[in-house]
Each structure stands twice: as C-alpha cells, then as structure tokens.
Amino acid sequence: MSLHPVFGQNKTHQQALPPWEEGMLDIHFINTGRGNASFMVFPDGTTLLLDAGDMNAAEFEKMNYPLKVSPAFPNGSLRPGEWIAAYIKQTMPASRKPAIDYALITHFHGDHYGNIEVGSPVANNGAYRLSGLTDVGDQIPITNMLDRGYPNYSYPLDLKKYYKNNLTFANYLAFLNYQQSHSGLKAAALIAGSDQQIKLLFNRNRYPDFSVRNIKSNGTIWSGQGDQTVNCFTESQVLEKGKFNENPLSNAIKITYGPFTYYAGGDNTGYEGDFYPGRKDVETPMSKIIGKVEAMTLNHHGNRDANNNTFLKALSPKIIVVQSWCSDQPGQELAFRLTQRNTSGDSILVFDTYMQPETNTYLGFWIAKAFKSFDGNVLIRVMPGGEKYFVYLLDDRSTSLKVINIFGPYTVHEN
C-alpha cells in the first residue's frame, strides 16, 4: 500500500480525502463549532459515533459574556447534526450503506448530544425533535446506543426527575423509545471495564489486536485487571446540596490497534475543591490504569479544570486533538503544559478544531511550539497493523472532504 504524499502546512492546494480501506482505523473529529463529534471507522468497517453536540450560541454568549462561541461550520445553512450526518455519509466504507453500529454519548450536556428548545423542528415521524444526536440518528440508522444511565437513569440520583424540565433529556428518551420500537435500536449503559461491549462486527478474527476498552462510566473505573472495576467516588460525594455536575460522570474509552492506542473521555475533570465546584479529580485514578497512549482528545475541550499534569504525564501522547468551541478553550495553564515534551522526549503535536483569534492572542506566540493547526476537521488515519499513522487536516468550511495538509507518517513507539 502506497503512503499518501505530504505537502506543507501553508500551501492552499487541496485534494480529495483518499477513502478508507480495509485494515485502516479512521478517527474523524468533526468541527461544527457547536460541540464534540467524532466518527470512527474500525479496521473491518464497524463504525462508532462518539458524541454529536449542538447548542444555542447566542444564548450561551448572552449568559457568559464576554466569552465567544466559534462560528458555525461549514456554515449555518444546516443544523450541526445535519452536517455531522453529511460528513458520516462521505466517510463510510464504500461497501456499506451509511450506518452507525455504535453511538456513544459521554454525558448529558448539550454540546455532546444536542440542544432542544421549544422551536426545535419535529422529526417527520412526529415522535421527537431534531438536534445533535437525534438529527444524526434520524438520517442514519443507529444499531447500538450507549450512554451513562440506560435504562434506569438513577446515577447519582433519579435523572428522569432531576431533568424533568430539561427538554433535551426528555427528547433523547423519546428518540430511544421510538427507535427501539420502529428501527430495532438497542440501548445500554456503558459497562466500565468491559472490552466486549464495543467490538468488531464483521471480521473480528482478522484483527485480534484491535479492542475498545471501556475505561470509565459515572464513578466507576476499570481496575486494569480483567474486567474488574473500582469506584473513584460515590453518589453522595458527587452531590452538592442535591445537585451535581455531569462532567466528572463522563464515559471514557481506550482504543487499541496493535501498538497504536487512543483515549477519549468526554468532559472528565482533573481538579476539585472550592475553585472547581461540582468537579472531581477522576483523571488521576484513570491515569493509573490507562497507561501511555499514542493519541488522545483533551478532556473537557481543554478547559482549565481538566487534563492535569499527572494525567498528561501518564498518558504521554504524541498527538493531541482539542475539540474546542469557546474562547476560553484551551485554558492558558493547560496550553503551557502542551508545549512540554512527553516522557519519550518527543514534542507533543496539538491539533485544535477551532481557536478563537482572541484566544490565540492571549495564549502568546509560544503556543506555536505545540499547535500544528488552529481550525479544521481532523482525521487520525492509522494504517493496517497500527504501526504507522497520518494526521489529516480537512477544510471545515467545505461541504466535501478536502485535505488542507497531511502530517506524518508517524511510527508508533511501543511502550
């Protein structure tokens, strides 16, 4: 198999993205400007959607002035979920109709699964409204839906009562009910510690060195041994006067393909105390069992309450992707840590889906030491066997997959 050509970062020449081929692992980070969305094609063609966010940018900016939300990408003519669905349709294996074998929602925040308001459009079936995940699932069939609470939604308390006035949560449940009854969707809570819940569906025996390990869900994390788990906090410890923050409850996974490893963990946090209300340091206990990875996406969009020094040193990635949408992402302290070298002595290479000009200014010129891009869709393409990979930067202002730059090939150094 020939390697793809590499051209310089500042060149304007674009080419179409070469299609996925059998044996590749593709990890796409889709920048809509409204939250997290990543789509993966496993070596045998099995697909995974990790989060599909949406939000009311004007309302957020009004409530959080002077913070700014990024522009809508590629433009505002469609809703974010519609753009995510369009992107997925272009990146599916040629032999398959568009299909999402697994959809995993890390936690119940709008920028990770959608934002329903009174005026949100109703699906043609009349059963639910469209935003984020439900927009995607209305266009592309989802076979297995995973979240942090199905079916009881009882952690850290009764979520159906707690979120009784939350239109997005109620709409998500309506979506599940309809899709289960009419389209055969199966729903489950992510099982921390399992490496069998998300698995190859078409040619598993051909890729015995591929696996997805569920690292964490709610307050439960993998112990590092078999499928055993430990608790990093209890329900009472995460509750404060009957309220809680979703972020430290986020699901987290680790993907392994030969020597290549990748971590994703939603909005998990790494600090706690008076300056971080509602947060818990779940990164430190996770860091002890995740081990080194080749690539990762930053927890909580790179906000200042996440990606603590212990966590980054333990994972020691070569590649970091920042799925940012707000002008305080990444936090300055974290950005400084990203300029350091990993434990192998290599520089960390950071790809940001969108950095506000104001953010670029206050972070300072030294961020160029680490950041390889400041906007764009990002694709990590791992070659068959997992020993080599590329990072593609794609034009997030284009409705088709146009390559702006290619980084690599990089060779994985086994731990």
Side-chain angles (χ1 to χ4, degrees), residues 128-359:
Y128 48 81
R129 294 182 181 271
L130 301 173
S131 176
L133 175 80
T134 60
D135 239 332
V136 178
D138 199 58
Q139 294 193 32
I140 302 176
I142 298 173
T143 303
N144 297 284
M145 186 72 234
L146 303 171
D147 59 32
R148 73 170 190 83
Y150 185 89
N152 297 324
Y153 297 103
S154 58
Y155 193 97
L157 41 69
D158 187 337
L159 297 184
K160 293 179 181 179
K161 290 183 179 179
Y162 187 82
Y163 287 136
K164 63 181 180 180
N165 297 320
N166 185 309
L167 297 180
T168 306
F169 186 76
N171 189 72
Y172 171 68
L173 298 184
F175 171 82
L176 291 185
N177 290 334
Y178 181 88
Q179 293 294 333
Q180 286 175 306
S181 300
H182 294 80
S183 302
L185 178 147
K186 299 177 181 178
L190 193 77
I191 303 171
S194 174
D195 64 353
Q196 299 298 308
Q197 193 173 25
I198 302 173
K199 57 188 178 181
L200 299 181
L201 298 177
F202 305 115
N203 204 343
R204 190 179 185 188
N205 292 336
R206 188 172 181 179
Y207 304 101
D209 55 355
F210 179 90
S211 66
V212 180
R213 175 72 70 174
N214 300 342
I215 297 296
K216 175 184 172 293
S217 185
N218 294 317
T220 304
I221 63 173
W222 180 42
S223 71
Q225 300 294 324
D227 58 0
Q228 298 176 17
T229 60
V230 297
N231 291 327
C232 53
F233 54 75
T234 64
E235 292 96 327
S236 60
Q237 288 172 331
V238 80
L239 288 170
E240 296 182 358
K241 298 181 179 180
K243 298 183 178 181
F244 67 93
N245 190 299
E246 279 280 339
N247 293 341
L249 305 178
S250 292
N251 290 323
I253 61 172
K254 177 182 176 180
I255 296 176
T256 300
Y257 185 27
F260 180 88
T261 48
Y262 167 72
Y263 163 83
D267 282 359
N268 275 301
T269 51
Y271 296 91
E272 58 186 71
D274 293 341
F275 293 105
Y276 303 95
R279 275 61 165 180
K280 292 292 180 183
D281 177 10
V282 298
E283 290 179 338
T284 297
M286 281 200 297
S287 69
K288 297 176 182 178
I289 53 92
I290 295 172
K292 291 185 178 181
V293 300
E294 189 70 14
M296 64 176 285
T297 183
L298 288 182
N299 290 328
H300 200 196
H301 320 280
N303 274 308
R304 63 185 297 270
D305 61 0
N307 309 285
N308 66 40
N309 197 48
T310 298
F311 188 74
L312 288 180
K313 282 188 174 181
L315 273 62
S316 191
K318 173 71 175 180
I319 304 294
I320 286 179
V321 177
V322 190
Q323 298 180 83
S324 59
W325 52 263
C326 187
S327 54
D328 63 349
Q329 302 165 353
Q332 190 174 48
E333 309 97 315
L334 172 59
F336 177 76
R337 291 198 295 275
L338 299 182
T339 67
Q340 310 303 304
R341 294 180 178 272
N342 61 28
T343 55
S344 299
D346 297 325
S347 296
I348 300 172
L349 306 179
V350 185
F351 298 84
D352 197 331
T353 56
Y354 186 78
M355 181 180 288
Q356 298 276 7
E358 295 86 351
T359 311

